[in-house]
Structure formats: C-alpha cells, structure tokens
Amino acid sequence: MKPQGIPPTTTINQTKMSFRGKNAVVTGGAGGIGLQVSKQLLSAGAAVAIIDLQDNLEEFVKLRAAHPTQSVMIIKMDVANKKGVEATYEEIAKTFGNIDIVVNVAGIFNDKDVQRTLLVNLGGIINSTLSALPYMGKDNGGKGGIVVNMSSVVGLDPMFIIPVYGATKAGIINFTRCLANEKYYQRSGIKFATVCPGATMTDMFTNFTEKIIFPETSDETYRILDRLNKQSAADVSRCILNVLEKDKNGAVYVIEGKRVYPLEIKPQWTGKEQAL
C-alpha cells in the first residue's frame, strides 16, 4: 500500500505547545482512532469536544481524570443527522468560544447497509465540516484553523472486496480537496487536509466477512486481511497530530507503517477553466 516514489517523513516529532490553548472537535472520539486522537490532543494541551453516537463512559471518565484543568465535552450525536450536528457545533462554540481544530474520524464499515454507510462515512464528514465553518472562518468572526478529514488508502486505490466503503472514502478526498481552494482559504483562514490510513487494528472490521456484499469472496478476503501490515489506532493518531502540525492546506497524506507520507495528486482534467 505504500505509495511509490514518495519519501517517508522523518520520525514524528510532536511539539505539544503548538496545541496548548486550542479548542478541538473530534468526531468518532468514543473509540478507536478518534479516541486516541482525543487523548493526543488533550496531552498536548488542547480542549476537546467529542462527538459520537457511541457511549464509552469508562474512557470518558479516564480522560477527564487525566486532564482535570482542561475542558472535555462529550456530545452524543449521530453525524448523519445534519440538524443535530449543526446544533452540536452551536453548543460547542458557546462553550469554547471558538473552534481551532476539527478532526473528522467517525465512520462505519458495513457494505451491506449501503445507505447507512453513505450517510455516516461521507455524509457525516460533510455535515461536521460544513457545520464547523461558521464558527471557524475569519470571514464570520472566527480565528481560522484546520480541518482534517479521515479517508483511507482504499479511497485512493480500489479494493474489490469493499466497494461501498471505498466509494465513501474516495468522496471524502475530493470533498476535502475542493474546500482547500486557495481563494476560500484567503477569505476564511481555514485549512483542509486529508489523511488516508492503511490497515489499522480497530473494532470497525469485527465480523468483516458478514458485512461484505460478495460473500463468495470471503476466502480471498481473509487471505488479503492476513497479508496486510497492520498499525495501531495510537500509531495513526500520532501521525494525525503530525499532520495538524504541518498545517498544510490541501495536503493528502497516506499513513502506513506508523509513518506519514505526503501524496502528490496531479490534475487529470486538463480542459477545466482556472478556479474563480
């Protein structure tokens, strides 16, 4: 899965002070990669609001106990619920005053449930991102900031066993790159980046073969999964903080083997007019 011809970054060097005093929102923060991102941001000095439909009371208690002087908001909300997400961001903005960082991680895997997969994986990213903009943009009284949306390597390179999931991840890349238009950045002060992790050990893919739409591929699916080099959610979260530190508008990164690789995506449509 490692992109060819792209040199890896150097070993991750976290500068925790860069996040001190920042206000961050993490969707999908109740478990997996999202929970690890929340922990990393809190350890680096940020206040964190977690948006998730799932409950993880034990971990939330630990977060608050470990960071008693920092704000930790927990909001139970389905990211597929547009109106609910909008109201959630209004609540967060009232509590925090401003929003500096958004990391959209929330997602599911169930190719058999096409509508739910589309609504959560792609719709949820869109809902969260667009709901955050009024509270971040300099053109609306905000301070600017950065939004990092989590896609996947299967959004870059097709994997035949998960076409629905892969389609949502491809959509995330395009959506995020569209918002990274320089004209919009000059007006809003908001940067956008996309991260594409490789195989990562999370609970999302439990009972994997029961959620694929072509059951006849089960044997091949297991062989593919066994061959993949897997990384932990904590590994990916450290890389995401590294991406936040890079603060590069429009960037797309692959996270593979506990390292961050910048990806160069060249224009394919040569006939389009220049951006307005």
Side-chain angles (χ1 to χ4, degrees):
M1 287 187 186
K2 187 177 294 184
Q4 297 298 314
I6 300 174
T9 61
T10 55
T11 302
I12 293 169
N13 179 24
Q14 281 183 241
T15 307
K16 293 184 178 182
M17 288 298 293
S18 64
F19 298 104
R20 193 165 302 281
K22 301 293 186 182
N23 298 321
V25 178
V26 181
T27 68
I33 295 170
L35 177 59
Q36 295 301 321
V37 169
S38 299
K39 289 180 177 179
Q40 292 282 333
L41 285 167
L42 284 165
S43 295
V48 175
I50 293 173
I51 302 174
D52 205 313
L53 186 59
Q54 306 302 316
D55 286 318
N56 194 344
L57 182 60
E58 182 179 352
E59 286 293 342
F60 294 157
V61 168
K62 290 180 181 177
L63 284 180
R64 285 180 165 143
H67 306 281
T69 63
Q70 291 165 248
S71 295
V72 182
M73 293 183 68
I74 312 292
I75 304 100
K76 187 172 183 177
M77 179 54 60
D78 181 357
V79 292
N81 180 346
K82 181 177 181 290
K83 293 295 184 182
V85 172
E86 289 173 349
T88 296
Y89 270 94
E90 183 178 6
E91 178 184 351
I92 293 169
K94 285 179 179 178
T95 301
F96 282 175
N98 66 283
I99 298 170
D100 305 294
I101 297 166
V102 175
V103 182
N104 286 312
V105 179
I108 63 170
F109 170 73
N110 188 347
D111 267 23
K112 285 187 175 179
D113 193 341
V114 175
Q115 282 300 111
R116 182 65 180 163
T117 299
L118 291 171
L119 287 172
V120 173
N121 290 8
L122 182 55
I125 291 274
I126 293 173
N127 290 340
S128 177
T129 301
L130 296 185
S131 296
L133 301 190
Y135 305 104
M136 298 178 72
K138 291 180 178 179
D139 53 338
N140 202 42
K143 298 180 179 180
I146 183 169
V147 176
V148 173
N149 290 332
M150 194 171 80
S151 177
S152 167
V153 290
V154 300
L156 295 165
D157 294 325
M159 182 174 282
F160 74 97
I161 58 176
I162 47 175
V164 179
Y165 179 82
T168 65
K169 296 302 181 178
I172 290 167
I173 296 169
N174 203 321
F175 169 73
T176 310
R177 293 180 66 215
C178 284
L179 292 180
N181 180 275
E182 185 64 21
K183 295 289 186 182
Y184 179 72
Y185 170 69
Q186 291 299 327
R187 186 173 76 248
S188 71
I190 305 173
K191 297 179 180 179
F192 297 87
T194 313
V195 292
C196 303
T200 306
M201 294 177 288
T202 70
D203 293 335
M204 181 184 291
F205 294 102
T206 302
N207 302 321
F208 186 87
T209 56
E210 296 176 12
K211 302 173 185 177
I212 58 178
I213 56 178
F214 302 118
E216 66 273 14
T217 66
S218 293
D219 290 343
E220 178 63 16
T221 297
Y222 277 121
R223 285 194 291 271
I224 291 171
L225 293 177
D226 287 341
R227 289 197 301 266
L228 294 175
N229 293 320
K230 301 175 184 66
Q231 57 200 346
S232 72
D235 294 329
V236 174
S237 72
R238 286 190 289 269
C239 291
I240 290 175
L241 255 71
N242 186 236
V243 167
L244 288 170
E245 289 173 343
K246 291 178 185 296
D247 200 31
K248 185 175 180 181
N249 192 35
V252 180
Y253 299 94
V254 170
I255 299 175
E256 186 79 275
K258 309 178 185 180
R259 308 285 292 275
V260 180
Y261 301 82
L263 187 65
E264 182 182 1
I265 301 179
K266 296 181 179 180
Q268 301 298 317
W269 181 20
T270 58
K272 70 177 179 179
E273 296 180 1
Q274 288 189 344
L276 298 177

